[in-house]
Amino acid sequence: MKYCTRCITPETHDTIMYDEEGVCSVCRQIEYKQEKIDWDERRRQLDELVVQYKDKGMYDCVVPFSGGKDSTFQLWYIVKQLGLKPLVVRFNHWGYRPLVLENNTRTFKQLGVDVIEYTPNWHVVRELMLESFKRRGDFCWHCHTGIYAGVMHMALRFGAPLIFWGESLAEYASWYSYEEMEEVDEKRFNRVMNLGMTAEDMYEFLGGRVSKRDLWMFAFPPRRDLMKLGCRSICLGSYIKWDTKKQVEIIKRELGWKGQEVEGRHPDYDYEKIECFFQGIRDYSKYIKRGYGRTNHLASIDIRNKRLTREEGWKMAQEFDGKRPAFLDRFLEILQITENEFYEILTKLSVHPWKFDRTEVATGKPLPDMEQWDCTKVDKPIGPPKDKKEKAEAYI
């Protein structure tokens, strides 16, 4: 496979392009961010924006919050640096790890904020997980759409027109560049978040196994309603210079935020995607489809920020990416599929020229808190009717 000559991002990375020097488009975007943008001017623009919304309604803004490093920093910055009164909105994806709940409680109490959480029906979520896994090799459709569309619904219900998201997508991919002032609108939702499948599509795909009213929080709200509210849905990373590692230092110091290990990850990256116990499965799925995992992604970020050499990043990724997660057995029980079916679905969706070889896979170690992860048994079957051996034959 072809890799960026500056970082280690492979050609199977979504949206990636290479220039005549073999440098990837994300590296060039970060170069533009570091050298071309006047961040003092961007902060001045942010201050002007804040003035337009402060003290105008019940809340000054909405902050989507998972409890991970980015949303915790967002919330701290909006309360402590911008002096706004936010409504914190949480989408419960059913995968929270115990430490994240502790971090959240500590953060909310110290910052003094109102919090609302909405949680979709687990039976519906399992159907969505299986359907999106079958069609895209990504079982997180409910999470991608629920976080973004659901938060917009909450903004409408509480009449709060300003929504703050985290980093610009230009930080990690080329859906947008740093030369644009990206907004989190329906165009972005359809381009990036819903994997090319709307809630209407899902309703049809599921053939009556869920109702349309079960899917309201996964559908982007009508544009006319958002326009009537005067909605602005912006990325904080378009206005301040995003630097994850420095931001993690801030939330650890100011809020006592704690990191933890994630399956398939170098221990140094104990701050990345720690909030969901399905994360290791998702990263492993990406490795099967695209030939790289989360450690490659994180090492590339550090290489761009000159905290790691390309050789060091490569060695790290080779050691940690592509391990079979110990949680995979439980994941298969939840989706009621066999391990062979898991691999068959993903290998059919692999991105050229990568070819996954299952015989070379080693198994990763269980994480210390894995015994505490929710494993409530639900006997209700999911998916279309199965054969006598309980195999989801219609899914392959």
Side-chain angles (χ1 to χ4, degrees), residues 303-340:
I303 294 167
R304 291 178 197 126
N305 286 289
K306 304 188 189 313
R307 294 172 179 140
L308 207 64
T309 67
R310 190 174 186 279
E311 290 68 31
E312 289 168 336
W314 181 263
K315 184 179 177 184
M316 191 183 289
Q318 292 298 308
E319 183 178 355
F320 286 90
D321 279 348
K323 297 281 193 306
R324 180 193 184 279
F327 193 62
L328 182 59
D329 294 325
R330 176 62 186 138
F331 175 80
L332 298 174
E333 286 178 26
I334 291 170
L335 291 196
Q336 297 178 358
I337 59 174
T338 67
E339 187 161 355
N340 283 338

Side-chain angles (χ1 to χ4, degrees), residues 90-367:
R90 299 180 66 209
F91 173 79
N92 187 337
H93 46 58
W94 289 104
Y96 282 125
R97 296 172 67 182
L99 178 66
V100 175
L101 298 175
E102 293 175 25
N103 279 339
N104 291 352
T105 299
R106 197 181 305 112
T107 297
F108 297 152
K109 283 187 172 179
Q110 291 189 65
L111 293 179
V113 291
D114 292 356
V115 182
I116 184 168
E117 177 174 310
Y118 60 106
T119 307
N121 181 329
W122 173 238
H123 295 180
V124 173
V125 166
R126 284 198 311 160
E127 293 284 358
L128 297 173
M129 288 175 70
L130 182 57
E131 192 67 29
S132 63
F133 183 63
K134 175 195 72 173
R135 292 178 179 274
R136 297 289 186 270
D138 184 342
F139 53 86
C140 296
W141 184 91
H142 73 287
C143 199
H144 304 316
T145 55
I147 287 173
Y148 286 89
V151 165
M152 303 300 279
H153 282 290
M154 293 300 164
L156 285 169
R157 292 184 183 218
F158 284 89
L162 181 61
I163 305 167
F164 275 105
W165 302 88
E167 76 281 4
S168 164
L169 290 178
E171 190 74 9
Y172 307 131
S174 295
W175 301 105
Y176 295 86
S177 77
Y178 266 111
E179 296 177 64
E180 303 168 81
M181 293 299 280
E182 174 187 346
E183 296 228 357
V184 186
D185 54 17
E186 189 171 11
K187 178 182 176 183
R188 180 186 188 271
F189 181 77
N190 289 329
R191 178 188 286 181
V192 185
M193 307 318 306
N194 70 6
L195 309 176
M197 299 182 291
T198 66
E200 287 285 329
D201 293 333
M202 273 296 185
Y203 172 73
E204 297 294 335
F205 294 156
L206 292 172
R209 296 198 299 283
V210 304
S211 69
K212 285 189 176 179
R213 66 179 181 173
D214 289 329
L215 298 173
W216 69 268
M217 69 178 69
F218 307 107
F220 209 81
R223 185 166 178 266
R224 63 176 180 278
D225 294 345
L226 296 171
M227 289 181 69
K228 185 178 179 181
L229 178 64
C231 189
R232 288 290 308 275
S233 184
I234 64 173
C235 299
L236 186 59
S238 295
Y239 295 91
I240 65 171
K241 194 174 184 180
W242 205 258
D243 189 329
T244 292
K245 280 206 165 172
K246 288 182 180 177
Q247 292 162 193
V248 168
E249 290 173 10
I250 290 172
I251 59 176
K252 283 183 175 179
R253 183 181 67 241
E254 299 293 328
L255 299 170
W257 189 87
K258 296 177 182 175
Q260 63 186 343
E261 279 187 73
V262 178
E263 288 187 287
R265 192 81 46 81
H266 190 285
D268 285 354
Y269 297 119
D270 67 346
Y271 52 81
E272 174 78 7
K273 299 290 183 187
I274 66 165
E275 59 268 40
C276 181
F277 54 63
F278 291 111
Q279 189 59 46
I281 308 292
R282 187 156 187 267
D283 291 342
Y284 183 54
S285 298
K286 184 166 78 172
Y287 181 85
I288 296 169
K289 289 186 298 179
R290 297 178 182 272
Y292 73 104
R294 183 68 59 169
T295 298
N296 175 301
H297 166 77
L298 293 167
S300 290
I301 294 170
D302 274 346
I303 294 167
R304 291 178 197 126
N305 286 289
K306 304 188 189 313
R307 294 172 179 140
L308 207 64
T309 67
R310 190 174 186 279
E311 290 68 31
E312 289 168 336
W314 181 263
K315 184 179 177 184
M316 191 183 289
Q318 292 298 308
E319 183 178 355
F320 286 90
D321 279 348
K323 297 281 193 306
R324 180 193 184 279
F327 193 62
L328 182 59
D329 294 325
R330 176 62 186 138
F331 175 80
L332 298 174
E333 286 178 26
I334 291 170
L335 291 196
Q336 297 178 358
I337 59 174
T338 67
E339 187 161 355
N340 283 338
E341 289 163 344
F342 172 82
Y343 284 111
E344 198 170 342
I345 288 169
L346 291 172
T347 51
K348 282 185 176 180
L349 296 168
S350 64
V351 179
H352 180 78
W354 167 249
K355 288 186 180 178
F356 174 71
D357 185 352
R358 187 176 168 185
T359 63
E360 295 186 357
V361 170
T363 298
K365 64 176 182 177
L367 297 183

